[in-house]
Amino acid sequence: MNRLVLAEEQFLKKVKILTLWVIIGQLLTAFVGRSLSPLMIYIGSDLSLNKVQLGLLPTALFIGQFIGTLPIGFLVDKKSVRKVILIIMLVVGGAFFLFSWSNIFIVSFVAIMMAGIGYGGMHPSTNKAIVQMYPNAKVSLPMGLKQMSITLGSSGASLILIPIAILFGWRVALSLAVILLIIFSLLLYRKLAILEELPSTSKSSKSIVSQIGPLVKNKSLLFTTGSAFLLMGIQVTFNTYLIIYLYEIKEWSIYSAGICLAISELGGAAGRVLWGIISDRLFRQNRWVVLILITMQSILLFYLLHIVFSAALIILIVVSIGFSLSGFNGVWMSLAVESVEPEQSGTASGFSVMFASVGVMIIPPIFGFFVDLSGYVAAGSFIIISLTLCFVILVLANFITNRKRNVESL
């Protein structure tokens, strides 16, 4: 009996260590994938891009995410997770390396789009790894930590890549990040061999066509994806234009603005864990209420960001926006995987990320168009209107899902 307990403890220790490796892999993928925002001023100046073109660069990333996320999510439900993760990390690294030495906008756009295929595929792949390692009752915390690593990676990009870009240029900074990602991907592939020891009962035998039908009819998943469509688009818009806004309107230095973005991402990292805990302990896993609170808070904060000029208050507002807009991601991923059976977790999260990515394709360029046309007041009004629409969707989702839950309990 003692041997069985000891063997179980040793296996759990291996799982915890493996979870840390998966989290670091997600972090480094985000470190490279989210490097566009902190380097945007240097990229725009070097390539002579206007605001709309700047908005199209993150759009390219999420076009790739839109293309690749669902097929990759389906693939990890049927094939080896470790092989898929290795391939997509190499794709992200190779595509960003090509982008870092390109001088042609269309080549840069296509390279980032290719990177987006891998970047988006990392979500369902790591989600699948987490679901495979943990029972449903214990998924929330590791899922939140994994999602937190994305904002930590983005924050790290602001803190580390901007100083390197100042000294050696943005191309060198991005190339060094890519090399780090590729080296770690090879190490992670070896560590993920332990997944082969886990039960394979979570693999799906259904075709992708037969799985999509029930997903489209799943109201909870559709509401989740609809709200993420808006919140993701606004989140990426905020990250893309924050440094430019602080530099042009608030007259901050580029480095100070970059530090502010990094602090915002740290707030988002905390939010991805804390919002999940709040939804579990205060709202009995009613994650719709949490998303409603996040949306209401974001509306107020965006308004305050425009009228406030005190540096201390701006930092506080920016951190709070990061806590809300980046923090929603963990709740979103939990809702997506909770809306289906475990064997469909990869496909469901891929489905949700794929369609939510459309918001990231559309909203940043529209925001940039309004900035070029009428300035940040009109663009800010567009963001607030989008958040208000998201609020309406979430209230409707909360009402419908609660009514369904009450009917089923009768």
Side-chain angles (χ1 to χ4, degrees):
M1 183 68 178
N2 290 335
R3 290 182 179 178
L4 290 174
V5 172
L6 182 60
E8 184 178 353
E9 289 178 352
Q10 290 176 341
F11 184 76
L12 289 175
K13 184 178 180 180
K14 287 183 179 180
V15 167
K16 290 178 181 179
I17 293 173
L18 183 59
T19 302
L20 178 61
W21 276 84
V22 170
I23 289 172
I24 296 174
Q26 183 78 74
L27 185 151
L28 291 177
T29 304
F31 182 75
V32 174
R34 300 282 284 274
S35 62
L36 291 174
S37 295
L39 297 177
M40 194 63 77
I41 286 182
Y42 301 104
I43 295 170
S45 176
D46 191 18
L47 300 179
S48 302
L49 305 180
N50 58 35
K51 296 292 191 302
V52 174
Q53 289 174 316
L54 287 175
L56 285 172
L57 290 181
T59 293
L61 185 73
F62 288 94
I63 288 176
Q65 179 169 292
F66 174 83
I67 294 171
T69 303
L70 181 58
I72 292 175
F74 173 74
L75 188 64
V76 295
D77 277 341
K78 297 181 74 68
K79 304 295 182 181
S80 169
V81 174
R82 66 193 289 249
K83 291 180 181 178
V84 174
I85 288 179
L86 173 65
I87 292 170
I88 60 182
M89 291 180 74
L90 292 176
V91 168
V92 172
F96 264 100
F97 188 81
L98 173 62
F99 163 68
S100 67
W101 297 102
S102 170
N103 291 309
I104 304 171
F105 176 74
I106 188 63
V107 174
S108 300
F109 184 91
V110 172
I112 295 175
M113 185 175 67
M114 292 299 297
I117 294 175
Y119 179 79
M122 198 66 173
H123 291 288
S125 299
T126 52
N127 286 354
K128 186 67 176 184
I130 295 294
V131 170
Q132 195 171 341
M133 288 188 285
Y134 294 89
N136 282 347
K138 295 183 178 181
V139 161
S140 181
L141 180 58
M143 189 71 73
L145 291 172
K146 182 188 74 70
Q147 293 303 113
M148 179 187 72
S149 69
I150 298 173
T151 52
L152 288 177
S154 182
S155 177
S158 299
L159 291 173
I160 297 171
L161 296 183
I162 288 179
I164 297 175
I166 292 173
L167 292 174
F168 304 105
W170 71 271
R171 298 177 190 272
V172 172
L174 186 54
S175 297
L176 291 175
V178 165
I179 292 171
L180 178 62
L181 175 67
I182 290 175
I183 292 173
F184 186 84
S185 70
L186 299 175
L187 297 174
L188 179 60
Y189 177 75
R190 294 186 62 185
K191 291 292 181 179
L192 286 176
I194 192 176
L195 286 179
E196 308 299 333
E197 302 175 23
L198 298 176
S200 59
T201 54
S202 60
K203 289 187 178 181
S204 173
S205 60
K206 299 179 181 178
S207 69
I208 190 169
V209 175
S210 64
Q211 290 192 61
I212 289 177
L215 295 181
V216 172
K217 298 176 183 179
N218 189 318
K219 291 183 180 179
S220 178
L221 184 60
L222 291 179
F223 279 123
T224 300
T225 304
S227 58
F229 170 95
L230 293 166
L231 290 174
M232 266 191 69
I234 295 168
Q235 173 196 335
V236 173
T237 300
F238 174 73
N239 291 341
T240 300
Y241 288 96
L242 177 63
I243 292 179
I244 300 172
Y245 175 76
L246 294 177
Y247 177 73
E248 293 181 349
I249 304 301
K250 304 299 184 181
E251 298 181 347
W252 288 26
S253 69
I254 295 176
Y255 184 72
S256 297
I259 293 296
C260 195
L261 175 60
I263 295 173
S264 168
E265 294 287 9
L266 290 175
R272 294 192 177 199
V273 175
L274 293 178
W275 282 119
I277 295 174
I278 290 170
S279 67
D280 286 340
R281 298 187 179 180
L282 296 183
F283 297 103
R284 298 179 180 178
Q285 296 185 321
N286 188 338
R287 309 195 196 282
W288 299 114
V289 174
V290 171
L291 291 179
I292 289 171
L293 291 176
I294 287 173
T295 305
M296 292 173 60
Q297 178 176 310
S298 298
I299 291 172
L300 175 62
L301 290 170
F302 268 101
Y303 175 73
L304 291 176
L305 182 62
H306 177 69
I307 65 174
V308 167
F309 281 87
S310 166
L313 288 177
I314 288 174
I315 292 173
L316 179 61
I317 291 168
V318 167
V319 170
S320 300
I321 291 176
F323 182 78
S324 297
L325 279 182
S326 293
F328 100 95
N329 201 286
V331 178
W332 164 37
M333 284 292 100
S334 295
L335 269 172
V337 299
E338 289 169 356
S339 64
V340 297
E341 296 300 321
E343 64 268 16
Q344 286 188 297
S345 57
T347 305
S349 55
F351 175 89
S352 189
V353 170
M354 182 184 75
F355 285 102
S357 299
V358 178
V360 184
M361 299 180 207
I362 296 173
I363 294 177
I366 294 177
F367 183 89
F369 170 78
F370 279 117
V371 172
D372 285 335
L373 184 67
S374 304
Y376 284 97
V377 174
S381 299
F382 163 70
I383 292 297
I384 290 176
I385 291 172
S386 299
L387 284 169
T388 303
L389 175 60
C390 184
F391 172 79
V392 173
I393 292 173
L394 291 168
V395 170
L396 182 62
N398 185 53
F399 173 77
I400 291 176
T401 53
N402 280 342
R403 185 177 64 177
K404 180 181 178 181
R405 191 179 297 114
N406 292 334
V407 170
E408 290 175 348
S409 64
L410 292 177

